[in-house]
Amino acid sequence: MAADLKLQEHAQGVILPVRAHAGARRSEIRCVQDGVLRVSVMQVPEKGKANKAIIELLAQKLEVKKSQIELIAGETSSQKRFLIRGISSHEVAGRLT
């Protein structure tokens, strides 16, 4: 699954592309499609609730602190880009499988 991810190296870590679906029945990492990680969260997309839920889900799955994950693009869009600090692209790919 994670082998198809289009991860970008960054000076501080890795940039992870995410396609988010808010207001879902359950929070989960669904699949990789077109190089983008598809994620569903139960929270609604208002006042950053869904973005916070995505960060919590990614932190749990990647075994990093929430403070290591920053939303750098797509705050109000379903297409998002997260910077994950202090981790390599190989580690991200390995932990998402």
Side-chain angles (χ1 to χ4, degrees), residues 8-70:
Q8 277 184 291
E9 293 292 335
H10 186 276
Q12 297 178 16
V14 178
I15 296 176
L16 174 66
V18 172
R19 174 135 172 105
H21 174 73
R25 289 184 185 166
R26 62 182 174 184
S27 296
E28 64 181 344
I29 294 175
R30 296 176 54 195
C31 64
V32 174
Q33 185 177 19
D34 300 325
V36 177
L37 186 68
R38 296 183 60 97
V39 175
S40 297
V41 291
M42 294 187 302
Q43 285 71 12
V44 293
E46 64 181 31
K47 299 181 182 175
K49 291 178 185 176
N51 290 334
K52 287 178 185 174
I54 294 168
I55 288 172
E56 288 178 21
L57 185 64
L58 290 175
Q60 182 181 14
K61 185 69 175 176
L62 294 172
E63 300 170 5
V64 298
K65 297 176 184 173
K66 291 185 284 185
S67 61
Q68 288 178 257
I69 302 175
E70 178 186 351

Side-chain angles (χ1 to χ4, degrees), residues 73-84:
E75 187 174 334
T76 59
S77 170
S78 62
Q79 301 279 36
K80 301 178 183 299
R81 291 166 40 95
F82 289 91
L83 171 61
I84 294 119

